[in-house]
Amino acid sequence: MTKILKVDPINPEPEVLSEAVATLASGGLVAFPTETVYGLGADVFNSDAVSKVFKVKGRPADNPLIVHVDSLQMLDEVVEEVPDNVLHVLKRAWPGPLTVILRKKPTVPNVVTAGLPAVAVRCPAHPVALALIKGLGRPVAAPSANLSGKPSPTTAEHVINDLYGKVDVIIDGGDTFFGVESTVINVLTDPPTLLRPGPIGLEELTKLFGKDINVPQHIRGFSEAEVALSPGMKYRHYAPEKPLVLIELSDYGDLSKLVNEVLTVVNELTSSGFKVAVIGSDETLSYYTDAVKLSLGSRKNLYEVAKNLFKVLRNVDRLDVDVAVVEGFEEKGIGLAIMNRLRKAATRKLIKTY
Ligand code: TXA
Ligand code: MG
């Protein structure tokens, strides 16, 4: 049986937290909000509980989990050593949506890291997530709380749709703040290597580390990296069940070009007998007169677009359409994370270079 507990995301009620903590302490699974997406948590030192996380998500055993800590002190419980330059960055970036890869302590069960010698760790900046970890007094292993392959959950409703009946507790703390998963960076390489773009953009990472970051080409999401640098990267992710066509331009300065490209594809699909949805932006949506329309928000605020992204991708499957055509966005700041997710979700990408 799954218990759904409503909570005030900013001032979480102590009785809710203590029930969730007791569940984690006894080896149960708790879905909880973080500032990025909802996580599905288990006591990191309880291998059986961690194994259950893989099972209920249908997650391949070779895709390691992120370990969540409440402080730099707790980080020491899971990693061997933190180089000074990394400590310097974490002091400024935590709590927040930055996950670092470091060498794991032998006490961290192998199931957590899928047998790797390194572990991914972050300190979430969400009052509910932080209070849960503090209450348990131990780190919490937590992947995103979706079924494997589905878009990450940004509301409790998404978690309920995917995991109701399979987990012990779902804490409903409303919408998450960023809507895309944390930035993941491997700090064991010099320079550090970006493994997953997220809310902390490349520009910010470069400033934090004081050097250029290594960005493997597949990070932009183009190729299904067969040689997976981050083990999770090789699986199809974030995808709605309906096919998604992504329209990209090399420059979004002139939106009429984007609108024309979208309309061309929509007309082609429509004349082939398909029912089409367009996923656009506030600036362009009114041009798509005949299609079913969904907006991701304003192009002037990519944080808004990121926040709406997974909700909109999930909504595509509920519409009476055969296919969705989605506009691309500029790859600056959180835009790199948006485009990485869209390219992974898309079944077909059309790129126009002007
Ligand atoms: O924002 C987030 O990061 C959310 C919330 C719940 O914290 N969590 C999340 O976890 O997105 P998950 O499991 O869905 O994604 C974890 C990513 C995967 O791409 C995985 O391959 C990578 O982190 N990862 C985990 N451990 C790793 C390791 N030891 N080495 C390299 N990559 C690792
Ligand atoms: Mg995930």
Side-chain angles (χ1 to χ4, degrees):
M1 229 229 355
T2 300
K3 202 156 174 190
I4 299 170
L5 303 173
K6 273 235 175 238
V7 76
D8 178 337
I10 305 303
N11 288 300
E13 295 78 354
E15 17 354 316
V16 172
L17 292 171
S18 56
E19 188 167 351
V21 166
T23 304
L24 287 172
S26 61
L29 304 190
V30 175
F32 60 96
T34 81
E35 78 277 33
T36 55
V37 300
Y38 274 75
L40 178 60
D43 174 353
V44 77
F45 296 125
N46 184 332
S47 306
D48 291 340
V50 175
S51 298
K52 266 194 285 177
V53 169
F54 283 86
K55 196 164 152 232
V56 304
K57 277 183 57 91
R59 184 180 180 99
D62 64 352
N63 190 3
L65 308 185
I66 293 177
V67 175
H68 296 68
V69 297
D70 69 359
S71 58
L72 287 168
Q73 285 85 318
M74 198 182 268
L75 173 65
D76 286 335
E77 292 178 31
V78 287
V79 304
E80 282 294 359
E81 70 173 321
V82 186
D84 283 344
N85 68 315
V86 176
L87 190 61
H88 174 74
V89 168
L90 294 183
K91 278 183 178 161
R92 288 196 280 166
W94 277 8
L98 182 68
T99 298
V100 290
I101 310 291
L102 286 162
R103 252 169 214 294
K104 85 171 185 79
K105 280 230 161 86
T107 45
V108 176
N110 282 328
V111 58
V112 174
T113 61
L116 294 174
V119 60
V121 193
R122 85 176 189 99
C123 176
H126 191 293
V128 173
L130 274 178
L132 263 188
I133 306 162
K134 240 181 211 73
L136 183 67
R138 282 196 295 275
V140 172
S144 48
N146 51 287
L147 288 174
S148 200
K150 289 256 197 126
S152 292
T154 59
T155 72
E157 192 201 335
H158 297 162
V159 182
I160 292 166
N161 288 341
D162 281 13
L163 298 177
Y164 189 85
K166 297 179 166 182
V167 302
D168 301 291
V169 170
I170 296 172
I171 303 180
D172 179 354
D175 287 355
T176 60
F177 309 146
F178 287 109
V180 288
E181 308 87 344
S182 63
T183 303
V184 180
I185 189 160
N186 183 358
V187 293
L188 293 170
T189 61
D190 187 20
T193 305
L194 183 62
L195 297 182
R196 182 176 70 184
I200 309 280
L202 193 53
E203 304 85 344
E204 224 171 321
L205 288 174
T206 307
K207 273 192 215 145
L208 278 167
F209 284 91
K211 56 172 86 174
D212 283 340
I213 305 299
N214 176 31
V215 184
Q217 199 40 42
H218 71 82
I219 284 303
R220 298 184 60 218
F222 281 125
S223 66
E224 250 66 316
E226 300 304 353
V227 190
L229 277 181
S230 183
M233 295 290 170
K234 67 182 177 214
Y235 300 106
R236 187 165 181 244
H237 264 139
Y238 319 113
E241 272 151 34
K242 306 257 169 85
L244 189 69
V245 182
L246 170 62
I247 312 289
E248 292 201 44
L249 302 188
S250 48
D251 177 359
Y252 295 91
D254 179 359
L255 289 180
S256 66
K257 285 180 183 158
L258 180 63
V259 169
N260 283 337
E261 289 305 324
V262 172
L263 284 174
T264 305
V265 174
V266 169
N267 290 340
E268 248 172 58
L269 288 165
T270 309
S271 57
S272 308
F274 294 111
K275 284 190 204 158
V276 187
V278 178
I279 303 173
S281 46
D282 293 350
E283 288 81 0
T284 56
L285 216 63
S286 62
Y287 295 100
Y288 308 129
T289 41
D290 295 332
V292 178
K293 295 179 278 193
L294 298 168
S295 178
L296 286 168
S298 169
R299 290 181 170 271
K300 297 193 189 91
N301 184 357
L302 292 180
Y303 284 102
E304 183 189 0
V305 173
K307 189 168 173 166
N308 291 327
L309 183 63
F310 290 148
K311 194 181 280 185
V312 168
L313 288 184
R314 279 180 181 252
N315 281 344
V316 168
D317 286 334
R318 297 200 197 156
L319 297 174
D320 177 28
V321 297
D322 305 304
V323 53
V325 178
V326 60
E327 295 179 348
F329 290 82
E330 200 184 344
E331 267 174 298
K332 68 165 192 240
I334 200 168
L336 182 63
I338 293 168
M339 289 309 289
N340 165 281
R341 306 307 188 271
L342 279 178
R343 288 175 185 137
K344 283 169 178 291
T347 26
R348 220 175 120 206
K349 300 152 197 122
L350 300 177
I351 302 161
K352 192 89 179 181
T353 313
Y354 285 98

